[in-house]
């Protein structure tokens, strides 16, 4: 690793990997897109759902898809911690995979919200029934 590069440590729930010799990183947080180079000051943020990218000197970009993450940069070490991540050299392939995952997660969320609404209706109905029984008993 040269003084113009840094290390990238990727961690998720299933595995981790270290990539040495990274020349630059581009990610996005709530304030927008940003880049990191070797020697950057200590920095911490949360990445939004989407794609980030990094590259080694004289190499093409590599893409990192994740459903949000915590990013910490210190002493030329970049750590990214996420529930899960995907790493790919092909932008089109990783974009399609990310889009499919986003749609699947939205569908899961929609199903979960519907299930919660049904549970709430059942609880309210049961509370009403209990109230009616108490009125009859008086």
């Amino acid at each position: 690793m040269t003084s113009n590069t840094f290390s990238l440590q990727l961690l998720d729930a299933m595995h981790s990997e270290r990539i040495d010799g990274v020349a630059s990183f581009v990610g996005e947080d709530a304030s927008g897109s940003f880049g990191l180079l070797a020697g950057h000051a200590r920095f911490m943020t949360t990445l939004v759902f989407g794609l980030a990218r990094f590259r080694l000197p004289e190499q093409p970009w590599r893409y990192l898809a994740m459903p949000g993450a915590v990013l910490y940069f210190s002493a030329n070490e970049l750590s990214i911690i996420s529930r899960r991540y995907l790493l790919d050299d092909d932008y089109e392939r990783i974009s399609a995979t990310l889009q499919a995952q986003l749609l699947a997660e939205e569908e899961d969320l929609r199903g979960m919200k519907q299930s919660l609404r049904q549970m709430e209706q059942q609880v309210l109905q049961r509370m009403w029934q209990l109230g009616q029984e108490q009125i009859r008993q008086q």
Side-chain angles (χ1 to χ4, degrees):
M1 188 168 70
T2 70
S3 62
N4 293 334
T5 64
F6 56 91
S7 296
L8 171 60
Q9 181 76 30
L10 300 169
L11 301 116
D12 72 9
M14 303 301 285
H15 65 293
S16 69
E17 60 187 290
R18 180 182 178 91
I19 301 165
D20 291 320
V22 175
S24 62
F25 173 88
V26 177
E28 184 179 353
D29 64 10
S31 67
S33 187
F34 64 90
L36 296 172
L37 298 171
H40 195 283
R42 186 169 29 172
F43 180 68
M44 183 177 217
T45 190
T46 54
L47 300 173
V48 297
F49 186 107
L51 286 177
R53 61 187 176 161
F54 66 92
R55 66 186 178 106
L56 281 61
E58 316 278 327
Q59 297 289 318
W61 289 104
R62 295 188 69 193
Y63 300 94
L64 179 62
M66 65 212 123
V70 174
L71 176 147
Y72 180 66
F73 188 89
S74 179
N76 274 344
E77 296 267 340
L78 174 59
S79 298
I80 297 177
I81 303 151
S82 181
R83 273 190 338 254
R84 68 179 182 279
Y85 69 87
L86 301 170
L87 189 58
D88 203 320
D89 296 334
D90 186 295
Y91 176 80
E92 296 298 326
R93 183 173 48 227
I94 200 166
S95 292
T97 302
L98 182 63
Q99 181 67 23
Q101 283 187 353
L102 177 59
L103 291 174
E105 285 185 12
E106 284 180 9
E107 187 59 36
D108 288 347
L109 183 58
R110 199 175 2 261
M112 195 179 327
K113 285 180 179 179
Q114 178 64 28
S115 184
L116 286 172
R117 275 193 292 274
Q118 289 173 348
M119 285 178 21
E120 182 181 65
Q121 287 174 349
Q122 290 171 353
V123 167
L124 290 173
Q125 183 178 9
R126 183 66 182 141
M127 288 173 61
W128 183 81
Q129 288 171 345
L130 289 172
Q132 292 300 311
E133 289 175 12
Q134 285 182 350
I135 290 173
R136 278 184 254 152
Q137 290 175 358
Q138 292 175 354

